[in-house]
Structures are given as structure tokens and as C-alpha cells.
């Protein structure tokens, strides 16, 4: 078999348009217009231009109300009962009541506040969901198929059918899932399992779509079509999880839903019963005052002002939060699930153990290995080269899937796996370091085993401290890893993690998250983590070097890799959620106190509006307390 087209296949570019800048976002146009007209209208009235000011305020009211009133009315008509209604309907009713009582400015202010909060929330969600299809760029555009007559033909990757034989050259991505039928090499499977250390590929090895082939040429019999494989399944899982997450009601809506029918019934009874017992005009006006008294002005801004302050504060220590709803959920987290590679570990394999047989020094074992690995493409070569100076080697030959051999200082050297080189007297050492989660390289000199080298992706130094802090906050920790159980358990024990689930495919991780009975955050950095990130109560993408798929599927992204950011972020979210709860309690207290007083005529419209404005200032002031950051990283 000839190894052609070693440069790999051309990848598919994302087709979605990038998120527009906020000043070009059409969704923000009406709220921005409403706010501008509100300010200009008040200035006109203060300048004595009452008619002009009223007209400007009215237009501003229409601009703001247009963003939520149609939807509120639609939900009223087609919704399944009043329980499906939220803050939008209450804001609509309050605005109508204010207009009927002649307070256009108050109605315009209500419309602007609510419309801008809704628009910013919607923008955040669109930004979080955009470019999901970029996952599919890991599938090559074309695939080479072995014809029945022995020749090769190139077809679109999407047209591959199960049973066809794929020809995978060096460095090429695999177009769909399959089984190796001929050839040997190693595969970079980090796109699927997240594991940084490559795996051997030989006849009988299962391979997944998106994996990158190493130096050897492989024949792979497809077990799935180009349109229905493990990578397209990841996309489907993420889309489904994000759709399910989108149905979660925000805190303010959950509170407003039972409030809507109460307010409507109270206003209706006030107008109808009062009209029967007294002057209809008086009681209808009083019912409208009740509507304004029950206006959720403070409730509408109780959460947004806190969230905006808290999100801005979180960015000071490298925590980027994509939506207010996600930040609210962060304050409820009781379980944190971690991916292993690149999240708990450095994603940089290092030599961590060396053992030599009698007559050889550990330094010589490393030097022999480094000499051969200097020209090797094996994924462990970098780790070996970083641990020792490389001497000159000649006649170097790489044996795909096994190792490398050559001549160093006139001595015949082989470096490879225990499957290729018998460990002999070092068998116990091989078992021991393998049990500690290391990949093993044996070094043979002139036909005799000289030593072994253990390579492992080491735990981040701050990981035990971060896990300990989470435990002190009452949070349970779990590791979800695509690696083998032995390696995963060794790292989890060192980090102090409570629970380990190894050999997890992307769908397995997502299933575990969905089955969790407590609010759960998933922390990861790879494409294989995307379904679990999207399925979690809160998905957290680690590090600027994380994959685009992970960042796009997550609700929260950390710009750095320091795991101590995690307990700090969760603590900040809990404190901010407490502030949100205080604000909501104050907003509801105002409604509960004002409504009966308006009902019996103790308070008129002017007094009700004044108290509402004072309450809004109190809510804003309390919400701004979320700007304070308590992070160990800023100390």
C-alpha cells in the first residue's frame, strides 16, 4: 500500500455567520430606541415642551413594548392556563394601566427596562449557541474508498456507507466510525475521548470519526455512514441538551407565574364588585391603581441588575458567563463533574518514572530513548526529549504501532511498548507504573532490556487545593474520563475526588449528567465534553486553549487554567444569588403591601408610583453589591 496524500483532507468550514457587534445587533435596536426616546422625552417635558415630550414618550413606549407585548398576548391566548404566563404579561398589564391613568412616562420606563433586560438575555443565549456545527469540521470533506478492483476512489465523506473500506493515510482524519482491517499505526483520539496520549491501531481496533491517524497507512472498514457516526451523534446530543436547557424558566418568571392570576383576579374583582356597590368610575380607576401597584417594576430589574454586576465582577478573575440564567443556576450547584485530560491534568505528557536494569544508568536509558525519539512522530516522543539530551542516532526506523529502532554509539537500540519488547526482569516495575496510570516505554540495548520509562499527563499542581475547597463548600466531586479505569483512578485519588467513572464516551458523560439528582456543573475543555457541558445545569469550559466546541456548548468559560477559579466562581455565584433573593423578596413585599392599600383607596396613583421608584432604587443599590469580588486569585 502506498502512503499518498499525507497532508490530510480539507476540512469543512463553519457556515454560520458570526455574532454581530452589539451596536449592529438588530435585536437591541428597539430597546435602545426606547431608552433614547425616554430620555429625550423627559428632557422635552422638563423644558416646557409638554406635547412634544408626551409624543416622544409614547413612541418610546411603543418601541419598548413591541419587544414583549405581542408575545405576552400570544401566550395569553394559546398558553395552557395562567400558570404558563410570566413577567411579560404583568409588565404589559402595568404599562396599560399606567397609560389609562395618564402616566405615559411611567409606562415608557417600564417598557424600556423590561425590553432591554430581555434583549440582553436573548443576545447572550444566541452567542452561547452559535457555531455549534463547527463540531462537524472534524470530519474531512472527502474520503478515499478502496474499490473492489483494488484501486482507490475519492468521494464526499457524507456519502460513505457502512461496509466500505476506507484508506487512511498518515496524518489524515477518519471520515466515519470503523474497524482497522489492515496496517498498524497510532491514533490521536482526543476529539472523541479527550485523552492526550495516542492509542495503538492494529487489525481489529475500533476507530471513531474525527480521529487523526499517525504515521502508518490503515485500511478501515466503515461500521457507520458518513452522516450517522459518533461525531454527528455528539452534535445531536448537544443540540438536544441545549433545547432542553432552554425550557428552564428563569427565577423571576417562576415567581411571576403564580402572581399573574392573583393580580388579574384582584383587579377584576375590584372593578366588578366595586362597581356594583358604588361609583363604577371610582372603582375602575382604583382597579387600575391596583394593577400599577402590582406592577413588577422592581421584580423585573431585581435579577438583571444583580446579574450584570456579578458577571462584570466575575470577569475580573477570568470567568466569562454567557447568560444571566446560567449565572443564576451557578448559585445552586451541589455536584461538580470533571473531565480528566486538559482539565484536571496539564494535557502535556511528562516523564515521571525511570527504572534501569543492572549495568545501566537511568540517565543512559533516557539518553538512548531521546536519541531515537528525536526524529519520531510518536506522541510520547516530546515527553522523552524534554527529559534528556538527545545524542546522535542513525539508521532510525519507526515501526507503526510498536516503537522505533536504530543505532546509537554503535549500539542497537529499540524503544517501544511492552507488546513489542518483553520487559523480562522489569515486569513487576512495568505493572507497578502502569497501575499508577502511566504509559510505559521499554528501552532495549543490543537485544537486552535496559530500562523502562513511565510517561503520564500530570495533575495540575493546584488541583488538590481546588478540590479540597469545593469539599469545604459542601460540593461533591466526580471525574468523568475517557481514559482507562487504572489511569483515571490514580489521578482521582491524587486529586482527592470523591467518585470516578472511566472509559466514558461523550454520550456516557451526558447520560451521567442527565441522571444526576442534584444541580450539577460539568467542567471540561474538549470536543468530547460538549454533550455533557450542554446537558449540565451549568457547563464550564476550562482555559483559552479549550476547543471551540467546548466553549460554545458551555454556559461559563474560564480564560485561564487555574482550577482555583472554580470554587471562587461558585462561591461568588452563591453570594450573588442570595442578593437576587433579597431583591426579589423586596420587590414582592412592595407588591404585597401596596396592592391592598391601593384597593381600599388609602394610596393614590402618585403615592404608588413614588414608592415603586424608591423600591427600584433600593433594589439597584442592593444589586450593585454583587460587584464585590472575593477571589483567592485576586488576593
Amino acid at each position: 500500500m502506498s502512503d499518498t496524500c499525507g497532508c490530510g483532507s480539507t476540512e469543512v468550514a463553519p457556515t454560520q455567520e458570526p455574532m454581530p457587534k452589539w451596536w449592529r445587533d438588530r435585536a437591541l435596536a428597539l430597546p435602545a430606541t426606547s431608552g433614547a426616546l425616554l430620555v429625550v422625552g423627559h428632557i422635552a417635558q422638563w423644558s416646557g415642551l409638554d406635547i412634544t415630550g408626551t409624543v416622544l414618550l409614547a413612541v418610546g413606549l411603543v418601541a419598548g413594548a413591541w419587544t414583549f407585548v405581542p408575545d405576552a398576548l400570544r401566550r395569553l391566548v394559546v398558553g395552557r392556563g395562567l400558570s404558563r404566563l410570566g413577567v411579560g404579561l404583568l409588565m404589559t398589564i402595568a404599562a396599560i394601566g399606567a397609560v389609562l391613568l395618564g402616566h405615559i412616562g411611567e409606562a415608557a420606563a417600564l417598557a424600556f427596562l423590561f425590553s432591554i433586560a430581555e434583549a440582553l438575555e436573548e443576545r447572550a443565549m444566541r452567542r452561547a449557541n452559535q457555531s455549534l456545527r463547527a463540531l462537524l469540521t472534524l470530519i474531512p470533506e472527502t474520503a478515499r474508498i478502496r474499490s473492489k478492483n483494488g484501486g482507490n476512489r475519492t468521494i464526499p465523506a457524507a456519502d460513505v456507507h457502512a461496509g466500505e473500506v476506507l484508506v487512511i493515510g498518515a496524518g489524515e482524519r477518519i471520515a466515519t466510525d470503523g474497524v482497522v482491517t489492515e496496517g498498524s499505526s497510532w491514533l490521536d483520539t482526543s476529539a472523541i475521548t479527550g485523552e492526550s496520549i495516542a492509542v495503538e491501531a492494529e487489525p481489529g481496533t475500533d476507530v471513531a470519526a474525527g480521529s487523526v491517524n499517525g504515521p502508518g497507512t490503515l485500511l478501515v472498514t466503515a461500521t457507520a455512514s458518513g452522516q450517522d457516526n459518533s461525531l454527528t451523534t455528539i452534535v445531536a446530543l448537544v443540540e438536544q441538551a441545549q433545547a432542553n436547557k432552554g425550557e428552564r424558566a428563569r427565577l423571576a418568571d417562576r415567581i411571576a407565574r403564580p402572581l399573574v392570576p392573583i393580580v388579574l383576579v384582584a383587579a377584576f374583582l375590584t372593578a366588578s364588585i366595586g362597581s356594583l356597590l358604588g361609583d363604577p368610575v371610582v372603582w375602575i380607576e382604583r382597579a387600575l391603581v391596583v394593577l400599577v401597584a402590582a406592577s413588577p417594576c422592581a421584580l423585573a430589574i431585581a435579577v438583571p441588575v444583580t446579574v450584570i454586576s456579578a458577571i462584570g465582577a466575575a470577569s475580573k478573575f477570568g470567568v466569562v458567563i454567557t447568560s444571566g440564567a446560567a449565572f443564576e443556576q451557578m448559585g445552586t450547584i451541589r455536584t461538580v463533574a470533571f473531565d480528566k485530560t486538559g482539565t484536571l491534568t496539564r494535557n502535556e505528557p511528562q516523564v515521571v518514572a525511570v527504572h534501569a536494569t543492572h549495568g545501566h544508568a537511568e540517565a543512559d536509558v533516557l539518553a538512548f530513548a531521546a536519541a531515537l525519539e528525536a526524529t519520531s512522530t510518536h506522541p510520547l516522543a516530546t515527553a522523552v526529549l524534554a527529559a534528556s539530551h538527545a545524542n546522535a542516532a542513525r539508521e532510525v526506523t519507526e515501526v507503526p504501532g510498536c516503537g522505533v529502532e536504530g543505532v546509537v554509539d554503535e549500539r542497537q537500540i529499540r524503544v517501544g511498548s511492552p507488546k513489542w519488547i518483553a520487559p523480562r526482569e522489569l515486569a513487576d516495575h512495568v505493572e507497578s507504573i502502569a497501575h499508577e496510570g502511566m504509559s510505559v516505554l521499554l528501552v532495549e540495548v543490543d537485544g537486552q532490556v535496559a530500562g523502562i520509562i513511565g510517561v503520564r499527563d500530570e495533575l495540575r499542581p493546584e488541583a488538590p487545593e481546588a478540590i479540597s475547597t469545593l469539599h469545604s463548600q459542601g460540593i461533591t466531586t466526580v471525574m468523568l474520563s475517557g481514559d482507562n479505569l487504572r489511569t483515571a483512578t490514580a489521578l482521582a485519588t491524587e486529586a482527592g475526588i470523591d467518585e470516578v467513572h472511566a472509559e466514558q464516551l461523550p454520550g456516557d458523560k451526558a447520560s451521567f449528567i442527565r441522571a444526576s439528582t442534584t444541580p450539577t456543573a460539568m467542567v471540561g475543555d474538549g470536543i468530547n465534553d460538549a454533550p455533557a457541558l450542554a446537558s449540565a445545569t451549568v457547563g464550564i469550559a476550562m482555559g483559552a486553549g479549550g476547543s471551540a466546541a467546548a466553549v460554545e456548548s458551555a454556559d461559563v468559560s474560564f480564560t485561564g487554567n487555574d482550577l482555583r477559579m472554580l470554587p471562587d466562581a461558585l462561591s461568588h455565584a452563591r453570594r450573588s444569588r442570595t442578593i437576587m433573593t433579597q431583591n426579589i423578596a423586596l420587590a414582592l413585599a412592595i407588591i404585597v403591601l401596596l396592592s391592598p392599600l391601593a384597593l381600599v383607596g388609602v394610596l393614590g396613583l402618585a403615592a404608588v408610583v413614588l414608592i415603586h421608584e424608591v423600591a427600584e432604587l433600593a433594589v439597584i443599590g442592593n444589586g450593585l453589591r454583587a460587584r464585590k469580588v472575593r477571589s483567592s486569585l485576586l488576593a
Side-chain angles (χ1 to χ4, degrees), residues 465-466 469-470 473 563-572 574:
E465 178 186 348
T469 304
L470 289 174
Q473 296 175 357
L563 284 170
R564 291 174 296 178
M565 296 166 66
L566 180 59
D568 286 344
L570 295 180
S571 176
H572 178 60
R574 282 194 299 274

Side-chain angles (χ1 to χ4, degrees), residues 93-166:
I93 295 170
I96 292 173
V99 170
L100 293 176
L101 293 174
H103 288 263
I104 304 295
E106 175 71 10
L110 293 178
F112 165 67
L113 285 173
F114 192 64
S115 65
I116 193 66
E118 290 289 289
L120 291 175
E121 178 76 8
E122 175 63 23
R123 176 177 169 83
M125 291 303 296
R126 283 189 285 121
R127 182 177 61 184
N129 293 333
Q130 73 171 355
S131 301
L132 174 60
R133 290 289 171 177
L135 285 168
L136 295 178
T137 62
L138 290 176
I139 297 180
E141 184 177 354
T142 61
R144 283 185 293 157
I145 304 297
R146 174 61 55 89
S147 302
K148 293 182 179 180
N149 60 9
N152 297 335
R153 58 190 177 91
T154 301
I155 65 172
D159 294 342
V160 173
H161 297 289
E164 292 184 311
V165 178
L166 307 178

Side-chain angles (χ1 to χ4, degrees), residues 123-460:
R123 176 177 169 83
M125 291 303 296
R126 283 189 285 121
R127 182 177 61 184
N129 293 333
Q130 73 171 355
S131 301
L132 174 60
R133 290 289 171 177
L135 285 168
L136 295 178
T137 62
L138 290 176
I139 297 180
E141 184 177 354
T142 61
R144 283 185 293 157
I145 304 297
R146 174 61 55 89
S147 302
K148 293 182 179 180
N149 60 9
N152 297 335
R153 58 190 177 91
T154 301
I155 65 172
D159 294 342
V160 173
H161 297 289
E164 292 184 311
V165 178
L166 307 178
V167 181
I168 313 297
E172 293 183 342
R173 290 192 183 274
I174 298 176
T176 190
D177 303 334
V179 178
V180 177
T181 54
E182 186 177 328
S184 62
S185 184
W186 49 262
L187 297 175
D188 176 2
T189 63
S190 58
I192 306 302
T193 66
E195 180 54 38
S196 59
I197 298 177
V199 298
E200 296 179 6
E202 55 190 15
T205 301
D206 292 327
V207 297
S211 300
V212 181
N213 185 28
T217 298
L218 300 174
L219 292 186
V220 175
T221 300
T223 57
S225 72
Q227 297 181 344
D228 184 15
N229 52 56
S230 56
L231 207 53
T232 58
T233 298
I234 290 178
V235 174
L237 287 169
V238 173
E239 288 179 330
Q240 180 182 358
Q242 289 183 335
N244 293 338
K245 182 177 289 187
E247 296 173 359
R248 297 173 183 166
R250 291 172 303 172
L251 185 59
D253 265 342
R254 292 200 302 270
I255 293 172
R257 283 175 181 174
L259 186 62
V260 171
I262 294 174
V263 171
L264 291 177
V265 171
F268 175 77
L269 293 177
T270 299
S272 57
I273 296 177
S275 297
L276 294 176
L277 301 177
D279 185 353
V281 175
V282 172
W283 284 99
I284 290 175
E285 181 175 343
R286 190 169 292 181
L288 292 176
V289 175
V290 169
L291 285 178
V292 175
S295 165
C297 309
L299 182 61
I301 64 174
V303 172
V305 70
T306 308
V307 167
I308 292 171
S309 299
I311 288 177
S315 66
K316 295 179 181 178
F317 59 98
V319 179
V320 180
I321 302 165
T322 61
S323 72
F327 188 73
E328 289 181 43
Q329 294 293 334
M330 278 186 70
T332 69
I333 296 301
R334 304 311 305 162
T335 301
V336 175
F338 294 90
D339 170 52
K340 180 181 74 69
T341 305
T343 302
L344 289 169
T345 67
R346 298 175 179 272
N347 201 19
E348 298 174 357
Q350 298 177 333
V351 172
V352 294
V354 181
H355 295 283
T357 58
H358 181 70
H360 295 89
E362 293 181 356
D364 292 336
V365 170
L366 275 174
F368 283 135
L372 296 189
E373 299 286 15
T375 58
S376 173
T377 58
H378 193 280
L380 300 183
T382 302
V384 174
L385 288 171
S388 177
H389 175 71
N391 295 324
R394 57 187 178 84
E395 300 178 19
V396 178
T397 302
E398 188 158 352
V399 182
C402 296
V404 62
E405 58 186 357
V407 177
V408 180
D409 295 335
E410 304 306 320
R411 309 186 75 174
Q412 189 68 38
I413 309 297
R414 289 202 303 165
V415 180
S417 72
K419 292 182 181 180
W420 190 42
I421 301 174
R424 298 172 185 169
E425 65 265 37
L426 292 178
D428 290 341
H429 286 291
V430 169
E431 180 64 24
S432 175
I433 66 174
H435 185 72
E436 294 177 19
M438 302 181 203
S439 295
V440 180
L441 287 176
L442 279 128
V443 179
E444 183 185 83
V445 179
D446 294 331
Q448 300 295 320
V449 63
I452 57 174
I453 299 172
V455 179
R456 186 173 66 185
D457 188 8
E458 285 289 83
L459 194 69
R460 294 186 184 278

